[in-house]
Amino acid sequence: MPMIRIPWGPGAGGPDRYRDRKISAGAGFLTTSLEGGVDMLEGNPIMKSLVLGLAIVSLTAAVSVADDMKLPPLVPQASPQKVVDEHLDALNSCDWNRLMAQYPDDVHIILPDGAEAVGREAVGKLFAGFCKSKADGGLRGLKFTTLSTFSVDGTLNVQWVADADFLAEPYKGADAYVTRDGLMAAQVTTFDGSKLKFK
């Protein structure tokens, strides 16, 4: 089961701000539990809001990928720009194998509200959920177009706009892509599926 980290605890910077949580999904619903099996969603509106946001975007919700999903071999690219180009093209095509050919075992993706997907398996399930059809809870058909790119010490920062036939209006955001040895080592994204406006 993949591990993500999400904001938790009363203080903005206290030692208990983050707790590891396991995420599992089944037919159209999301269940979560703290390490140790204690369910903490009941009566916690902040957590419910975050989990519902993740469910809407289908990043970790409703993923029906087999536990033994076969990750493809890694395919390094020749430059950081080529890594990002390949990522966006594979994402727009919802080509799961091409996406996962970019992510090493220690990949780390930071999502809005402090959520994280860490490791190749977790990222694989994240994109498997994203690449489902909208009818199945995914966002296949969403197309990202680059508006601007700038590099800082090899990290590519990309502002983009996403649109699809099922959106009422385009959605703008940005990602920071950290590459290493021709692979996507880390990503920080502003993408928040709960902000998408559907027709």
Side-chain angles (χ1 to χ4, degrees):
M1 185 175 291
M3 185 69 70
I4 71 168
R5 291 171 64 82
I6 52 182
W8 191 264
D16 62 345
R17 183 178 178 206
Y18 294 97
R19 298 274 180 88
D20 287 335
R21 296 182 67 87
K22 289 183 178 177
I23 301 295
S24 60
F29 61 89
L30 182 70
T31 60
T32 75
S33 62
L34 276 174
E35 284 295 306
V38 181
D39 186 3
M40 297 296 287
L41 282 180
E42 191 63 36
N44 190 320
I46 295 174
M47 283 306 307
K48 285 182 180 178
S49 175
L50 175 60
V51 170
L52 285 174
L54 288 172
I56 289 170
V57 77
S58 299
L59 290 178
T60 53
V63 179
S64 60
V65 180
D67 288 336
D68 60 348
M69 65 178 178
K70 184 170 176 58
L71 292 165
L74 296 174
V75 180
Q77 301 296 318
S79 69
Q81 185 63 61
K82 288 187 180 297
V83 173
V84 172
D85 291 345
E86 172 67 5
H87 168 75
L88 291 173
D89 190 59
L91 186 62
N92 285 339
S93 303
C94 267
D95 188 326
W96 185 84
N97 283 301
R98 282 175 62 199
L99 282 165
M100 295 314 302
Q102 293 196 296
Y103 291 105
D105 291 338
D106 62 346
V107 60
H108 195 137
I109 295 181
I110 300 176
L111 304 158
D113 295 319
E116 298 175 288
V118 181
R120 213 168 173 220
E121 180 185 351
V123 171
K125 291 191 176 184
L126 180 151
F127 283 114
F130 181 94
C131 285
K132 288 185 175 187
S133 69
K134 186 173 181 297
D136 290 331
L139 292 171
R140 188 172 66 226
L142 190 66
K143 303 295 183 187
F144 294 83
T145 301
T146 298
L147 298 176
S148 64
T149 303
F150 67 93
S151 177
V152 179
D153 293 332
T155 295
L156 285 180
N157 303 280
V158 178
Q159 184 181 26
W160 44 257
V161 61
D163 205 356
D165 291 342
F166 50 75
L167 289 187
E169 62 183 49
Y171 172 71
K172 289 184 178 180
D175 294 333
Y177 298 105
V178 181
T179 66
R180 181 185 66 223
D181 300 327
L183 300 172
M184 187 77 75
Q187 180 180 344
V188 179
T189 183
T190 66
F191 183 83
D192 182 349
S194 68
K195 300 294 195 304
L196 295 175
K197 295 182 179 179
F198 296 98
K199 290 180 178 176

